Amino acid sequence: LLVLVQVHGQGGVKFQNWAKTYGSSPELYFQPTSVEEIREILDMARQRDKRVKVVGGGHSPSDIACTDDFMIQMGKMNRVLKVDKEKQQVTVEGGIFLSDLNIELSKHGLALANLGAVSEVAAAGVIGTGTHNTGISHGILPTQVVALTLLTASGEILECSQSINADIFQAARLHLGCLGVVLTVTFQCVPQFHLHEVAFPSTLTEVLDHLDDHLKRSQYFRFLWFPHSENVSVIYQDPTNKPPSSSASWLWDYAVGYYLLEFLLWISTFVPSLVCWINRFFFWLLFSSRVENIAISYKIFNYECRFKQHVQDWAIPIEKTKEALLELKAALENNPKMVAHYPVEVRFARGDEIWLSPCFQRDSCYMNIIMYRPYGKNVPRLNYWLTYEGIMKKHGGRPHWAKAHSCTRKDFEKMYPAFPKFCSIREKLDPTGIFLNTYLEKVFY
């Protein structure tokens, strides 16, 4: 018996990423509720010679999710399918937002061991771009994936794990959306825990000279450097049994940390030399005293990215941290016309075996730079961007897949020993390139 599911795509939908830095107008926009519907969309795409882009939360600050053809938004395929208490594992549909998963897991006394700053992101998307946080004993988020299922271009469903389709598994844990549609993801969890966060002021010299001590002292250590100064805010996050408490205040966080900052950054678009004073002023205002918070883990891991922003985030071998950061500082000092917004956020991650992971086979330091867009206005950033990319490349860096970068296939072939392996699996699973788009063409061609 042939069951025909009629899927209807919407026309006229405008897709924009969260920062509104990239957008596209897909010819048809779908929100499927079943595997059958997705299969049918793929068939229709094949018949009409269209490409398909699968999107989750649309948070990536690049054009990795854009397409003018068919767009599949996975938001309606967002169920928790299975919680295995014994193994502490959870299997979810690819479209579930981590914000919903966090709450669901805590009902079962479980949690994800590490999370990025944002949870309004879909499970399949988080692994697709290699989302990370910090902590030298923790890998990027895809290292928490123990199994997944993939719907390929031909409509076949592949189960992937360390033991089944192991090669496809190491490719699909960071899939760039180009291997197929990720239907389900199984995460390794840990028992639910609270985190004690302590932020305190320091200097760049101190932190870089004692980097190993900091990495040993705190499980989720990161620091923020305020460009055009020596100022650093060190952030320790560690599991605790103490009850939740917070020393944050709405007034400071919002009235000052948000509205005043946006206004001053807007003014600085006319007088760029103000930026170094703004960075210093805000350090003094909000980061120069010790602040502590205790809450359930995901509330500490997540924080609001309040501003529309341009970001770059490259991973370099951890032993290059000091050299690279001092080079960036010197570049800013030697070039007074080049301004950099705060903070430069420095995080750490354990090496792994995932083929396209920026941490592939090496412990890494991620150095995230940012330029805000106050009231949506663009701030000149090209000089800063290219200077930073130059320093990162020189030290063997690899760009974060979700962020904007200027690398092409030639670069990736040098950066990733397993790049040819990934390509051969992609070509096998998607011979006609139905899952490609402009961003991915630069990666693979």
Side-chain angles (χ1 to χ4, degrees):
L1 187 69
L2 222 152
V3 186
L4 260 182
V5 198
Q6 262 314 142
V7 286
H8 291 290
Q10 272 175 283
V13 172
K14 174 107 174 87
F15 166 76
Q16 276 199 316
N17 70 343
W18 174 82
K20 299 200 173 17
T21 45
Y22 292 93
S24 65
S25 302
E27 187 179 312
L28 288 176
Y29 179 87
F30 298 90
Q31 287 192 300
T33 55
S34 69
V35 179
E36 285 69 37
E37 283 181 39
I38 301 176
R39 275 208 182 98
E40 207 162 302
I41 298 165
L42 294 179
D43 285 344
M44 188 153 80
R46 206 172 294 109
Q47 284 154 19
R48 299 199 201 170
D49 201 20
K50 296 290 179 192
R51 288 174 165 183
V52 176
K53 201 72 235 137
V54 184
V55 60
H59 217 280
S60 297
S62 70
D63 53 347
I64 192 165
C66 294
T67 185
D68 292 329
D69 287 5
F70 290 1
M71 183 173 275
I72 296 179
Q73 203 282 330
M74 293 292 280
K76 292 189 170 159
M77 297 182 69
N78 63 351
R79 291 172 307 163
V80 174
L81 299 173
K82 183 179 177 207
V83 178
D84 184 330
K85 286 261 173 108
E86 299 264 284
K87 289 186 177 161
Q88 298 184 340
Q89 290 174 355
V90 62
T91 303
V92 296
E93 288 184 310
I96 193 171
F97 272 18
L98 294 191
S99 46
D100 297 327
L101 178 57
N102 292 334
I103 293 166
E104 231 10 75
L105 284 176
S106 81
K107 291 180 192 165
H108 295 279
L110 294 171
L112 290 169
N114 209 348
L115 288 165
V118 182
S119 277
E120 276 61 56
V121 284
V126 164
I127 67 170
T129 54
T131 303
H132 68 96
N133 180 23
T134 193
I136 199 53
S137 58
H138 296 273
I140 63 172
L141 268 55
T143 59
Q144 301 175 65
V145 174
V146 289
L148 52 87
T149 57
L150 195 61
L151 177 68
T152 65
S154 64
E156 185 190 358
I157 293 180
L158 298 177
E159 307 274 336
C160 310
S161 67
Q162 302 280 21
S163 49
I164 322 165
N165 290 321
D167 269 7
I168 297 177
F169 181 62
Q170 288 309 15
R173 286 209 282 176
L174 204 162
H175 54 74
L176 301 183
C178 68
L179 302 177
V181 183
V182 175
L183 298 174
T184 72
V185 181
T186 303
F187 289 103
Q188 181 59 52
C189 304
V190 295
Q192 181 176 318
F193 60 107
H194 281 67
L195 281 174
H196 181 187
E197 176 179 77
V198 184
F200 58 91
S202 185
T203 64
L204 190 58
T205 314
E206 187 283 323
V207 173
L208 292 177
D209 287 349
H210 302 104
L211 201 56
D212 282 354
D213 298 345
H214 286 290
L215 284 163
K216 284 190 192 94
R217 202 170 302 158
S218 171
Q219 194 178 139
Y220 303 96
F221 154 68
R222 77 169 94 221
F223 67 91
L224 312 177
W225 169 56
F226 290 67
H228 310 292
S229 77
E230 260 284 307
N231 297 330
V232 162
S233 173
V234 173
I235 301 162
Y236 285 173
Q237 295 172 340
D238 290 287
T240 180
N241 295 321
K242 295 181 194 156
S245 65
S246 168
S247 58
S249 92
W250 179 89
L251 179 80
W252 282 108
D253 274 11
Y254 266 89
V256 176
Y258 185 70
Y259 298 112
L260 180 63
L261 178 60
E262 185 161 34
F263 177 67
L264 290 177
L265 288 173
W266 182 75
I267 301 262
S268 78
T269 60
F270 305 99
V271 193
S273 59
L274 283 177
V275 170
C276 37
W277 298 106
I278 293 171
N279 288 358
R280 287 170 191 184
F281 174 61
F282 273 88
F283 178 79
W284 169 79
L285 205 61
L286 296 176
F287 298 91
S288 58
S289 55
R290 185 183 168 93
V291 180
E292 300 195 40
N293 284 311
I294 298 174
I296 193 158
S297 59
Y298 63 85
K299 290 188 175 161
I300 296 281
F301 285 139
N302 289 165
Y303 52 85
E304 254 187 292
C305 300
R306 295 175 185 151
F307 287 107
K308 304 305 178 206
Q309 51 191 237
H310 287 286
V311 281
Q312 279 230 56
D313 191 15
W314 286 52
I316 53 174
I318 197 164
E319 58 279 6
K320 304 278 190 186
T321 306
K322 179 175 179 176
E323 206 180 327
L325 203 47
L326 291 178
E327 242 172 88
L328 187 63
K329 182 170 187 262
L332 289 170
E333 282 163 9
N334 299 332
N335 191 343
K337 282 209 159 50
M338 190 158 65
V339 298
H341 291 165
Y342 84 81
V344 170
E345 186 181 15
V346 185
R347 290 174 286 179
F348 304 90
R350 197 186 66 221
D352 60 52
E353 291 301 321
I354 298 169
W355 292 354
L356 290 190
S357 163
C359 303
F360 181 72
Q361 295 185 342
R362 64 184 200 202
D363 290 351
S364 301
C365 161
Y366 276 95
M367 215 170 277
N368 186 67
I369 64 166
I370 200 160
M371 286 300 267
Y372 296 116
R373 303 171 58 226
Y375 310 122
K377 181 175 179 179
N378 274 331
V379 178
R381 63 176 201 284
L382 200 62
N383 263 349
Y384 181 33
W385 248 226
L386 293 174
T387 303
Y388 165 86
E389 276 201 339
I391 294 169
M392 294 292 107
K393 274 185 177 163
K394 177 180 149 188
H395 292 294
R398 297 166 178 159
H400 187 328
W401 291 105
K403 315 280 167 92
H405 56 77
S406 62
C407 300
T408 59
R409 175 167 180 144
K410 268 205 207 61
D411 298 300
F412 296 125
E413 283 172 340
K414 282 197 214 87
M415 291 170 182
Y416 288 102
F419 194 75
K421 281 196 198 160
F422 187 94
C423 291
S424 74
I425 283 199
R426 187 194 73 76
E427 284 152 24
K428 204 161 40 204
L429 295 181
D430 184 17
T432 62
I434 195 170
F435 294 114
L436 291 177
N437 64 357
T438 313
Y439 174 102
L440 291 168
E441 278 174 351
K442 282 190 282 223
V443 174
F444 295 112
Y445 292 104

